[in-house]
Amino acid sequence: DLRTTLDALPRTVAPENIALFTKYGIFSERELRSRYEVSLESYAKIIQIEARTMLEMARREIIPACSKAQRHIAEAINAKSAAGASAASEKRRLLEADALLEAMDSRALALEKELAQANAATDSYAACVACRDRIIPAMAELREAADALEQVTSAALWPFPVYEQLLMGAR
């Protein structure tokens, strides 16, 4: 049971597979090892591109949009408080959204750190291990924070189509 690409790629250069491919003249051992190395480099590069794209989306789109949404809530709190209302619901929503935004920001920083470490890897396999074991989980955590923020942010301020729009057809 090979659960990830990185688990499967080394099978390319397993002795029995090299013997099979060379016996029938499909690939030489050198060709197989070259394909393996290219596959490793490609895997690491694709994961890193996805992670950098995710960071850019978080920092340039989601975090600013959520900050703007929170500013709207804070203005509503101030207006209601000035009118003598408690604004308890808005305060609760603001605190919840602020905690999620803090989580998103810290997870973006963690992903950035993992990317830097993967870029410092000494060989392709080490870079792939960093991608599989650290970058992909960090991306999942950042996605979790973004999904939670989407649930508490006005669809009008959310920078991407919300789930309902995707399901029913983006407008």
Side-chain angles (χ1 to χ4, degrees):
D1 182 22
L2 305 173
R3 298 179 52 104
T4 70
T5 299
L6 186 56
D7 295 335
L9 285 176
R11 302 300 305 148
T12 306
V13 291
E16 64 272 16
N17 291 329
I18 291 173
L20 176 71
F21 282 107
T22 56
K23 176 181 177 181
Y24 292 104
I26 298 169
F27 294 116
S28 68
E29 181 174 349
R30 183 176 177 194
E31 288 171 321
L32 282 171
R33 292 193 182 284
S34 177
R35 291 169 87 70
Y36 170 67
E37 189 63 31
V38 168
S39 294
L40 288 175
E41 290 174 7
S42 178
Y43 174 83
K45 285 181 182 179
I46 289 169
I47 298 298
Q48 290 176 22
I49 288 168
E50 289 175 356
R52 285 192 299 275
T53 301
M54 187 178 215
L55 277 172
E56 186 173 318
M57 291 171 71
R59 290 195 169 134
R60 291 187 177 184
E61 301 288 340
I62 297 172
I63 290 173
C66 292
S67 292
K68 183 177 183 179
Q70 289 178 23
R71 185 174 64 245
H72 287 237
I73 297 171
E75 290 168 355
I77 291 169
N78 290 337
K80 287 180 92 173
S81 295
S86 72
S89 174
E90 288 83 359
K91 289 176 183 174
R92 181 192 51 74
R93 286 181 24 235
L94 180 60
L95 291 174
E96 177 185 2
D98 184 56
L100 291 171
L101 189 58
E102 289 293 326
M104 176 123 189
D105 188 53
S106 67
R107 291 174 184 186
L109 289 170
L111 177 56
E112 185 175 49
K113 178 183 171 188
E114 297 299 349
L115 268 168
Q117 290 179 351
N119 286 331
T122 57
D123 62 67
S124 298
Y125 188 79
C128 290
V129 169
C131 287
R132 180 194 62 197
D133 296 346
R134 296 195 312 267
I135 291 177
I136 291 174
M139 289 171 67
E141 289 181 9
L142 181 58
R143 171 67 189 265
E144 183 182 287
D147 289 347
L149 271 169
E150 180 181 359
Q151 296 300 308
V152 299
T153 303
S154 166
L157 294 174
W158 191 253
F160 306 109
V162 295
Y163 181 72
E164 180 181 310
Q165 290 171 324
L166 293 172
L167 188 62
M168 301 300 177
R171 295 178 190 144

